Amino acid sequence: MTDDLKELQELQPQSSFIIVKGESFEIKPFKFKHMFAVLNHISNMIDEVNPYEDQTKQLFKLLGKHPDDVMGILGLALGGKPVSFFDDVDTEQGIDLAIMVWKINQDFFVRKVQPKMKELVLFQDLPEEQENSVSEKKPLTESEANPRETETENQ
C-alpha cells in the first residue's frame, strides 16, 4: 500500500465503531440500497451541503435546521433504527455519532450524490437523440443541456 493511499484511508475511514446506548455499531459508507432513503432525508438539506465549508460548522448547521432528517440518516447508519431510538441518547454520544457518520459518508453526500443529481436533472432536459450520445464520464455544459434556450437566444 502506498503512503498516499494509507494517508487517504486515515483521512477518509472506510468504517468505524461507536457505542450508542450501550450497543456497539459499525458505521460504514452508505451503499446504493441506502441511497433512496438517504436522498429522502437530504433532499431538504442538499442546498446547504458545501464541500468547501468547515465540516463541523456544516454539521451543526444541519443538526440545528433539520434534526429529524439528520436523525433519520443516523438511524439508517445504525442499521435502520427509528428516529425514536434517539429520544434518550446522551448528547455527547449523539454528536459523536453524527460526526462519525458525516466523516465516513462525506464522499457519498458531497462528491457522489450531489453532482450525480445535478447531472440527472441536466440529462432529463436533453432531446432523445442527444440522450443516446451522452458519455457517462463527460458532464454536460449548460448549452448542451438546454439547446432550445441557446437557439432562442441566438435568434
Side-chain angles (χ1 to χ4, degrees), residues 4 25 49 53-54 90 116 124 126 131 133 138-139:
D4 289 340
F25 295 95
V49 176
E53 186 177 34
D54 176 71
D90 176 71
K116 287 292 180 188
Q124 288 177 342
L126 288 177
E131 286 179 20
S133 66
K138 180 185 169 198

Side-chain angles (χ1 to χ4, degrees), residues 117-126 139-142 144-146:
M117 291 299 108
K118 287 180 181 178
E119 187 177 317
L120 179 61
V121 169
L122 290 175
F123 188 74
Q124 288 177 342
D125 292 337
L126 288 177
L140 300 173
T141 65
E142 285 294 323
E144 289 173 326
N146 297 307

Side-chain angles (χ1 to χ4, degrees), residues 21-106:
K21 294 173 61 170
E23 194 175 341
S24 180
F25 295 95
E26 182 179 12
I27 307 300
K28 300 182 210 177
F30 289 120
K31 300 292 183 200
F32 178 75
K33 72 177 187 172
H34 299 111
M35 183 181 76
F36 301 104
V38 171
L39 286 176
N40 183 48
H41 292 293
I42 66 172
S43 64
N44 297 324
M45 305 182 282
I46 195 75
D47 290 334
E48 296 175 47
V49 176
N50 179 349
Y52 305 107
E53 186 177 34
D54 176 71
Q55 291 180 18
T56 304
K57 180 181 176 183
Q58 204 170 157
L59 179 62
F60 288 129
K61 185 184 349 175
L62 294 176
L63 283 168
K65 290 184 176 182
H66 306 281
D68 289 337
D69 289 311
V70 172
M71 286 187 284
I73 291 170
L74 298 180
L76 290 168
L78 296 181
K81 294 287 186 188
V83 172
S84 61
F85 173 83
F86 299 99
D87 288 349
D88 57 352
V89 168
D90 176 71
T91 301
E92 189 173 343
Q93 282 184 345
I95 292 171
D96 288 345
L97 173 63
I99 290 169
M100 183 180 292
V101 170
W102 173 254
K103 283 182 178 179
I104 289 176
N105 286 287
Q106 179 184 359

